[in-house]
Amino acid sequence: NPELKLTALVPAYTAPLAQICPYLDNVIIDSAKNDKADFNRLVKEIKEQQFDGMISFFSNTHNGKLAWKSRIPYRLAPATKWVQILYNHRLTQRRSRSEKSEAEYNQDLARAFLKKHNMPIVEPKPPYLSFPESAVKNQRVFLQEQFGLLADKKWVFVHSGTGGSATNLSLSQYAQLIQGLLSEFDCQIILTAGPGESEKAHELAAKIDHPNVVVYDKNKGLVDFAHSLACADLFIAGSTGPLHLSSAFNVPTIGFYPNSRSSQPRRWKPINDADKQLSSWAASISIMARSSVGPTHRPCANKDRSSDVSLIVVVFSSPRRVASKSIMWRRNFVFTSPKDRTVSLVRSTPK
């Protein structure tokens, strides 16, 4: 909407990403935690901008006080927690019920703002973030040269770290999963690592012990890392930042989530197309392969290459609810999850 000027208030560590978003006009960096002087600096900066409205997607004491002290005329936030009294417009949301995703809750707030101001509502579609095709091509060339990756193979990025944000698979489970993929698909595995996660990524690589596995633990910052994620054919991780950043590029994703009501996939699912995401609770897994002919399961190492369809089946150690869906992995790769205890990865063999 050309009538609106959008400014995002973000923490310092995500500011570089906000600054490359084409739909944002400006970025303001949030104050440091428990720093009164910096908070007052922020209030002064916001007042000087003379904003007409504010939408608080995440409402806590800090954001509530900031909205009230800044004296922004229109202040909208979810009608939850005591801090809602600091806003003069509220939308009732029961996020703890996890009835929809965080992205959908946030979009409801944006729709309420637009409706209140009689502005047209244009529904967004993935990808929500993109780079010029030439920039992604150059990044692929850089990664090929740095790690010896082959351009004609699928690139599967795996991020085993979480930064402590959520329960995740163990390194042994990730190793088992990746070994199953490599025994079935001739693909490149890129193990990514954030700050303080390099040692674990190298430990995982040692467990897998395969020439198609590389560790990508050094980059030139968050934007450079994002360029690399845009090169992925598939991204696998727990419920963590890199998973959601990858989904912003509409890259196919597989995510593992803690088995709790507040952390379930429905609420924290990625924002890529529904047919490009597969999410389930983290659990003990075993990897097997089976032919499309006959129900007999057998180890991946003994698979029959002549079968029309081959599957990698992730079998959970205890019953877990898995949504029934199919998602496309670029061209000839499809992930499916039947209504039972399995999650399957299917490849259609060209005739």
Side-chain angles (χ1 to χ4, degrees), residues 195-253:
E197 297 174 340
S198 178
E199 183 178 349
K200 290 293 184 182
H202 283 278
E203 182 181 345
L204 176 57
K207 286 179 176 290
I208 302 167
D209 190 24
H210 195 284
N212 283 19
V213 176
V214 299
V215 175
Y216 173 38
D217 59 350
K218 294 181 178 63
N219 55 66
K220 301 173 184 177
L222 195 53
V223 175
D224 178 57
F225 182 57
H227 276 82
S228 295
L229 297 185
C231 298
D233 292 296
L234 172 68
F235 191 90
I236 303 174
S239 179
T240 188
L243 176 76
H244 299 289
L245 181 53
S246 297
S247 72
F249 295 107
N250 211 24
V251 168
T253 58

Side-chain angles (χ1 to χ4, degrees), residues 47-166:
K47 282 184 174 180
E48 290 174 349
Q49 297 282 340
Q50 298 183 335
F51 288 105
D52 299 300
M54 171 184 182
I55 303 175
S56 183
F57 294 130
F58 176 67
S59 180
N60 58 9
T61 303
H62 170 80
N63 291 340
K65 287 183 177 179
L66 181 64
W68 182 71
K69 284 181 173 291
S70 299
R71 297 294 188 266
I72 297 175
Y74 182 97
R75 306 184 301 277
L76 172 64
T80 55
K81 306 176 184 177
W82 73 267
V83 294
Q84 66 176 286
I85 64 174
L86 300 175
Y87 298 88
N88 55 6
H89 295 272
R90 294 170 287 273
L91 180 67
T92 300
Q93 295 184 325
R94 298 288 183 262
R95 299 197 182 201
S96 60
R97 296 177 182 175
S98 299
E99 294 173 340
K100 58 179 71 174
S101 70
E102 285 292 304
E104 291 170 311
Y105 283 123
N106 292 341
Q107 288 172 14
D108 287 343
L109 286 163
R111 293 186 190 101
F113 175 89
L114 294 170
K115 184 177 180 181
K116 179 68 176 181
H117 292 83
N118 297 314
M119 294 181 177
I121 298 175
V122 179
E123 297 297 336
K125 296 180 181 180
Y128 300 104
L129 184 62
S130 62
F131 295 121
E133 185 178 346
S134 59
V136 177
K137 183 178 179 180
N138 289 339
Q139 189 73 3
R140 285 185 66 89
V141 171
F142 168 76
L143 294 174
Q144 290 172 35
E145 294 176 349
Q146 183 175 8
F147 299 112
L149 302 177
L150 298 179
D152 60 346
K153 293 184 179 182
K154 298 291 183 180
W155 290 11
V156 180
F157 284 59
V158 180
H159 191 87
S160 59
T162 65
S165 62

Side-chain angles (χ1 to χ4, degrees), residues 32-50:
K33 188 176 182 180
N34 300 323
D35 188 328
K36 187 176 181 179
D38 197 30
F39 179 80
N40 291 333
R41 180 273 310 167
L42 178 60
V43 171
K44 181 176 182 294
E45 182 179 355
I46 291 176
K47 282 184 174 180
E48 290 174 349
Q49 297 282 340
Q50 298 183 335

Side-chain angles (χ1 to χ4, degrees), residues 183-205:
S183 65
E184 186 68 20
F185 302 103
D186 186 17
C187 57
Q188 303 274 190
I189 303 293
I190 297 93
L191 304 180
T192 61
E197 297 174 340
S198 178
E199 183 178 349
K200 290 293 184 182
H202 283 278
E203 182 181 345
L204 176 57

